Amino acid sequence: MILTTATAIGLMGLACGGALALAARFLSVREDPRVERAAELLPGANCGGCGYAGCADYAKAIVLEGAAINLCAPGGGEVIGKIAQLMGVEAAAAERKVALVLCGGDSGNAPRRFAYNGVADCRAAHAVDGGDKQCRYGCLGYGSCARVCPVGAIEITAGGLAVVHPGVCIGCGACVKACPRSLIRMVPVSRTIHVLCSSRDKGPIVKQACKVGCIGCTLCAKLADNGAIAMDGFLAVVDYDKELTNEAVVEKCPGKCIVQRSMEGATA
Amino acid sequence: MTSYLLLIVGAVLVNNFVLTRFLGICPFLGVSRKISTAAGMSGAVVFVMTAASAVTWLLQTYVLERLGLQYLQTIAFILIIASFVQLTEIALKRFTPKLHGALGIFLPLITTNCAVLGVSVLNVQQRHDFAEATIFGFAASLGFALALIIFTGLREKIDRADPPRAFRGVAVALVTAGLLSLAFMGFASLVKQ
Amino acid sequence: MKTLRSSFKVPGGVHPDYRKQATRDKPVQVMPLPALLRVSMAQHMGAPAVPTVKKGAVVARGEVIGKAAGFISAAVHAPTSGTVKGIVDAPTAGGAVAPAVEIEPDGRDRWTDSLKARPDWRNAEAGELVAMAAAAGIAGMGGAGFPTHVKLSPPPDKPIDTLIVNGAECEPCLTADHRLMIEHADAIREGACIIRHILGARTLRVAVEDNKPEAVAAMEKALGGVEGDVAVVVLKTEYPQGAEKQQIYAITGREVPSGGLPMDVGALVENVGTCMAIRDAVVDGRPLTERVTTVTGTPLARPGNVLARLGTSYADLAGFCGGLMSPAAKVISGGPMMGLAQHSLDVTTSKTTSGLLFLSPDEVEAFTSLPCISCGRCVEACPAYLMPCEISRMVEAEDWEAAGWYDVMDCIECGCCAFECPARRPLVQHMRQGKAWIMAKRREQREKG
């Protein structure tokens, strides 16, 4: 009895297995095994920060379409290194970057010019008469960036200003795309001096619009060594690729818009 | 002819595989977030259930009953269904990569789906002949598709609404499924089975 | 010439309190020249015009100060003679900031003669007349501001056989078109005939709502001698009876396809003000330099219909009407349904400023919106057969593709849904968000090639 059972099942199993083996042999589609390996190496968060529809898609793109291997910000240097090994290329070491909102205009510093009574979304508010803040370039504080952050790293303060917590930020860049005023910038974690303003208006206009706005006096650009701060019209912009050690720019700024702030935050 | 019609109505409405027999709940809850994925899943299920229904009937009649091995039914069915689905996936990948891209990801999900095994076993229990078995399998899969698509439509709307935090996601989905099941009980006395 | 009484009811639609009594019987007043005119380059749909004058230039009335930039664009002209004080960035009614030419009037109001009049327009070719419309900077004065010369040049495979002159003015509080029809019916008629001649349209219809009997009578009289298939159509008073696609369906029974244009069904709609502007350009050689605006509202001392030069600030308009007797909580450019709220009275009139409405604090309510209860009132009210409740929820969930499938692009932003919503949801704003996202996506795809 046991023998019949065992033989029957055994034969059926063999038959099925054999059929599958044959199929695998003759009907298989050649697929690069590196795709699966690359997918295993990636973090698997599917945050989309690399620009592809999830980790599996990015793995495929790396192996089959030659996509850049350093697009995974959450994975960081470790993952990039491993993928570089897999693909047999040099790893382009990229320092970890976190998001920073380049605006300091909360309700205490930057007044609103009319009562906005509509959808609480920054893109919607921006479309209504250019936004309800006096400053045309400042943070509207309705939370579009906070809502899109996959890890909840962005807080809208009581004063209506978006602030990123660098320790929580995984650097996926979703907030950068969500902000209708392009206020958010990805900055390397090692940099500590930042110009918290994005207003391109002339000095007198900025002074009326915000207490901590950049008035375009160019003092910081002159004080900073090796051009680490450059003027873009009436706005001072930090070049994060350059080393900026002259901390005097923070006190000397008449607009009070340059701050010294660590981007490390709590260790992950 | 009428008996086939009764079979179909019975499988789709009166004894719906998902909502009355409670088989195939996994994909029902797992793939019901978007209509496009639900449609893809339905297509795959229709194909697999119909084919599996036919193949397992043949296995039962010409192998298991001939050799007196009916007690091996469960194992044998699972073996055949799993291999068959795997074979289908390989063939699809080779001959119709586009279709494989659309439906292929769902095939492994259906392999151990209890609805597929369920329809095969029911065919034996209810002593269907070959034609009835195939039609029953087809109708069962249509019933699954119907339940899945209705449920997905409901879920899409609920996902956009604002349920209380404790209910978000699967919780409210289960409540909805229960209510949908209750609704389908209305078909109970449509066909005497 | 016949008068047709239409029993057509807009699908959905609402009946707001029309409140036209304050200004409907007040004849148009001509406003004297203000101290400064600021003429925006963005007064029309499409690319803003490019300034062609510099600071210090002396210009005559009707002289080109901005030339059209691109296919869908219009020229801008000096509203009076004077000196250019400068080119500044000025806010527009829509909230965007655009270049504007500031002109200080010299009081003489000298006309330019750069546009040659063509009183014998019946002998002119369509192309020549369209070029005159372009040279005169005429844009749709009903509110959309679409460059008229582009509208009057449909592709050869889309001939127009029906011209509809839109005198419905369904927006509450506005009476500018109403007064134009009563006081300038002949000019409107001539303009309509010119457009009809350009298009070669067989049928001419003038649409007026039945709450304007004097206007109906005036248009009937003016159209008396016009040849061919001409009629005044009296439409039931309803909002939005003046909406283009709905009006075409009411008058011709043809439905403009989803995502399509009126020319797809061989029809064209022009506002009465635009018709008059065409007539002034062709018969008198005068580019567009002024328009009638209804300035009204309870806080205003003397509401009225004002003929003001383009580029007149809202503050000056209010001042001409006696100023505000009490504070205004809201200022709207346009009507209360589709108008745009303003935060500054420094904005100046443009070709599309049909109204300026001041609302007192007890006429305005700051609302908080609640979740949608699926009551369906918005679906019943929508004149475009859409489901605003569904689209609104999709936009809130940021499911933009689903919003596209539910035809958010067909929304005419009339406001009927928001008007009806018991949960006070910002439905029109949601529609605009959905449209903005879809247009951005289309632009992205066009750029990708």
Side-chain angles (χ1 to χ4, degrees):
Chain A
M1 172 78 166
I2 306 267
L3 202 60
T4 351
T5 317
T7 325
I9 290 289
L11 280 175
M12 271 194 273
L14 264 172
C16 292
L20 282 174
L22 282 173
R25 186 87 193 289
F26 293 109
L27 296 181
S28 67
V29 173
R30 278 225 55 212
E31 213 184 55
D32 201 323
R34 294 182 297 173
V35 176
E36 208 179 315
R37 181 88 190 95
E40 280 169 23
L41 288 173
L42 290 170
N46 287 326
C47 71
C50 54
Y52 293 91
C55 300
D57 209 24
Y58 182 41
K60 218 190 232 174
I62 292 177
V63 180
L64 301 174
E65 293 163 26
I69 63 166
N70 61 349
L71 296 177
C72 178
E78 202 186 314
V79 166
I80 294 174
K82 292 205 182 118
I83 295 185
Q85 259 185 335
L86 176 71
M87 297 298 296
V89 293
E90 275 292 320
E95 187 185 352
R96 175 163 165 253
K97 284 189 173 162
V98 291
L100 177 65
V101 178
L102 294 181
C103 178
D106 61 11
S107 55
N109 292 326
R112 304 258 170 189
R113 57 184 175 164
F114 58 81
Y116 171 67
N117 192 206
V119 177
D121 177 77
C122 302
R123 286 157 297 194
H126 181 66
V128 173
D129 220 9
D132 60 335
K133 246 179 147 165
Q134 183 89 347
C135 175
R136 279 194 294 150
Y137 298 89
C139 171
L140 290 165
Y142 290 112
S144 297
C145 53
R147 273 191 291 276
V148 86
C149 176
V151 293
I154 305 184
E155 180 198 337
I156 308 293
T157 63
L161 181 66
V163 174
V164 180
H165 291 280
V168 186
C169 174
I170 61 169
C172 70
C175 53
V176 178
K177 290 179 212 131
C179 179
R181 292 176 163 193
S182 305
L183 288 176
I184 306 184
R185 200 169 156 192
M186 301 305 294
V187 311
V189 284
S190 58
R191 300 283 181 246
T192 55
I193 295 180
H194 312 282
V195 174
L196 286 191
C197 181
S198 306
S199 171
R200 290 186 151 69
D201 276 331
K202 289 197 183 120
I205 301 179
V206 173
K207 269 211 158 99
Q208 277 191 334
C210 182
K211 290 186 189 152
V212 291
C214 173
I215 56 173
C217 66
T218 76
L219 207 58
C220 56
K222 295 192 185 104
L223 279 174
D225 26 52
N226 65 3
I229 300 184
M231 295 308 293
D232 177 5
F234 294 100
L235 175 67
V237 178
V238 177
D239 183 351
Y240 289 105
D241 288 334
K242 300 203 169 82
E243 192 77 36
L244 172 57
T245 47
N246 190 353
E247 294 172 10
V249 293
V250 179
E251 297 110 50
K252 290 286 194 333
C253 172
K256 309 259 176 297
C257 60
I258 304 187
V259 300
Q260 184 156 33
R261 191 186 289 180
S262 163
M263 291 289 109
E264 298 279 351
T267 33
Chain B
M1 194 61 238
T2 4
S3 66
Y4 290 148
L5 201 61
L6 286 173
L7 205 59
I8 293 173
V9 172
V12 175
L13 294 175
V14 182
N15 280 317
N16 186 286
F17 264 64
V18 183
L19 298 170
T20 314
R21 295 192 200 266
F22 302 117
L23 296 173
I25 308 276
C26 272
F28 184 67
L29 286 178
V31 190
S32 52
R33 285 233 104 154
K34 281 191 89 131
I35 286 278
S36 45
T37 34
M41 181 67 173
S42 301
V45 167
V46 167
F47 173 66
V48 172
M49 267 177 109
T50 317
S53 209
V55 171
T56 48
W57 187 92
L58 291 171
L59 180 75
Q60 173 76 9
T61 317
Y62 296 115
V63 179
L64 295 180
E65 278 174 8
R66 281 272 171 84
L67 301 175
L69 295 171
Q70 292 92 322
Y71 58 89
L72 287 180
Q73 188 185 77
T74 315
I75 302 179
F77 278 9
I78 285 286
L79 192 62
I80 290 297
I81 293 171
S83 319
F84 174 71
V85 173
Q86 206 40 39
L87 213 73
T88 314
E89 193 183 340
I90 294 173
L92 271 184
K93 205 165 179 187
R94 173 71 173 81
F95 295 117
T96 51
K98 266 228 136 126
L99 198 61
H100 178 259
L103 301 181
I105 29 174
F106 301 119
L107 290 177
L109 266 175
I110 313 171
T111 311
T112 45
N113 187 345
C114 49
V116 182
L117 182 63
V119 79
S120 307
V121 170
L122 276 169
N123 276 328
V124 175
Q125 274 183 6
Q126 291 173 358
R127 294 179 214 283
H128 288 153
D129 63 34
F130 184 68
E132 285 173 340
T134 318
I135 290 175
F136 187 62
F138 181 64
S141 61
L142 281 185
F144 178 88
L146 180 72
L148 182 63
I149 289 178
I150 293 177
F151 188 59
T152 307
L154 290 170
R155 254 192 116 173
E156 267 194 354
K157 287 196 77 162
I158 291 175
D159 274 347
R160 275 182 226 131
D162 197 19
R165 187 158 292 172
F167 276 91
R168 286 205 195 139
V170 183
V172 72
L174 285 170
V175 174
T176 315
L179 290 170
L180 189 58
S181 178
L182 206 61
F184 265 65
M185 274 176 110
F187 293 118
S189 54
L190 198 62
V191 167
K192 280 265 165 59
Q193 269 209 343
Chain C
M1 204 321 276
K2 45 193 190 293
T3 302
L4 303 167
R5 293 218 166 243
S6 167
S7 58
F8 176 75
K9 199 203 150 309
V10 173
V14 294
H15 293 275
D17 179 10
Y18 286 100
R19 297 205 190 172
K20 300 202 190 220
Q21 315 88 284
T23 54
R24 73 189 300 284
D25 299 317
K26 296 219 173 120
V28 174
Q29 301 162 277
V30 181
M31 179 172 161
L33 293 167
L36 185 73
L37 291 165
R38 197 180 305 122
V39 190
S40 177
M41 291 293 112
Q43 296 196 34
H44 47 263
M45 213 187 265
V50 174
T52 53
V53 290
K54 288 207 167 45
K55 181 171 176 175
V58 173
V59 292
R61 182 176 178 182
E63 192 173 318
V64 174
I65 54 173
K67 61 177 198 288
F71 180 55
I72 300 189
S73 185
V76 180
H77 303 78
T80 186
S81 56
T83 320
V84 175
K85 288 310 258 192
I87 320 279
V88 296
D89 277 331
T92 60
V97 171
V101 175
E102 283 187 332
I103 297 177
E104 190 180 32
D106 60 11
R108 276 177 289 152
D109 212 27
R110 246 180 334 117
W111 269 102
T112 182
D113 55 1
S114 55
L115 188 61
K116 290 282 167 276
R118 206 50 163 95
D120 63 329
W121 50 267
R122 282 177 217 277
N123 305 326
E125 291 283 323
E128 187 189 333
L129 297 173
V130 171
M132 287 183 81
I138 299 177
M141 293 167 75
F146 191 80
T148 308
H149 65 279
V150 180
K151 203 166 176 182
L152 294 180
S153 320
D157 60 327
K158 300 226 160 109
I160 310 290
D161 63 67
T162 305
L163 171 65
I164 300 173
V165 175
N166 194 348
E169 198 162 45
C170 51
E171 275 268 8
C173 304
L174 301 188
T175 52
D177 288 348
H178 171 66
R179 294 309 310 178
L180 269 183
M181 284 188 283
I182 292 176
E183 298 171 31
H184 299 279
D186 289 327
I188 296 172
R189 179 215 54 227
E190 193 162 9
C193 290
I194 295 172
I195 299 176
R196 193 182 176 204
H197 173 79
I198 293 173
L199 298 169
R202 210 174 45 89
T203 309
L204 173 63
R205 295 279 180 267
V206 177
V208 192
E209 277 188 328
D210 64 10
N211 62 354
K212 304 180 200 18
E214 309 91 338
V216 172
M219 291 312 295
E220 278 174 338
K221 189 153 165 274
L223 288 167
V226 179
E227 304 242 315
D229 183 11
V230 180
V232 171
V233 181
V234 184
L235 298 167
K236 280 191 143 82
T237 299
E238 195 182 12
Y239 180 86
Q241 204 53 280
E244 187 178 57
K245 296 180 185 171
Q246 284 70 10
Q247 199 167 83
I248 291 174
Y249 184 67
I251 293 178
T252 65
R254 301 176 205 165
E255 198 175 299
V256 177
S258 163
L261 291 167
M263 63 166 142
D264 294 335
V265 294
L268 204 100
V269 180
E270 285 291 359
N271 176 267
V272 289
T274 316
C275 291
M276 204 169 120
I278 293 257
R279 181 235 162 251
D280 288 345
V282 170
V283 175
D284 293 339
R286 297 215 161 143
L288 185 53
T289 56
E290 61 187 2
R291 69 155 293 143
V292 178
T293 303
T294 303
V295 186
T296 183
T298 25
L300 202 61
R302 290 191 304 273
N305 303 294
V306 182
L307 177 64
R309 301 298 164 92
L310 302 180
T312 304
S313 76
Y314 291 171
D316 287 338
L317 267 183
F320 177 66
C321 292
L324 297 176
M325 301 179 296
S326 55
K330 204 166 200 180
V331 179
I332 298 179
S333 173
M337 295 296 286
M338 285 184 75
L340 302 165
Q342 303 298 308
H343 67 90
S344 161
L345 290 180
D346 285 336
V347 179
T348 58
T349 56
S350 70
K351 296 169 186 171
T352 56
T353 312
S354 45
L356 185 61
L357 176 61
F358 293 88
L359 294 172
S360 63
D362 51 350
E363 287 174 323
V364 177
E365 205 182 84
F367 59 87
T368 27
S369 41
L370 302 168
C372 174
I373 56 171
S374 301
C375 67
R377 280 212 234 164
C378 56
V379 181
E380 285 174 345
C382 180
Y385 298 114
L386 302 178
M387 295 181 72
C389 50
E390 285 303 310
I391 301 175
S392 155
R393 274 187 280 213
M394 285 162 191
V395 167
E396 268 189 334
E398 303 205 1
D399 192 351
W400 313 107
E401 281 180 8
W405 291 334
Y406 274 64
D407 297 318
V408 67
M409 294 308 287
D410 282 336
C411 169
I412 59 175
E413 296 181 27
C414 64
C416 289
C417 51
F419 186 81
E420 284 291 313
C421 181
R424 318 303 288 129
R425 286 174 67 75
L427 295 170
V428 180
Q429 203 177 7
H430 283 150
M431 299 289 158
R432 290 209 180 119
Q433 271 186 281
K435 283 183 174 186
W437 192 91
I438 291 181
M439 306 246 271
K441 203 72 182 151
R442 286 185 185 170
R443 216 178 304 133
E444 227 177 81
Q445 278 172 339
R446 263 203 311 269
E447 275 157 23
K448 265 198 202 149

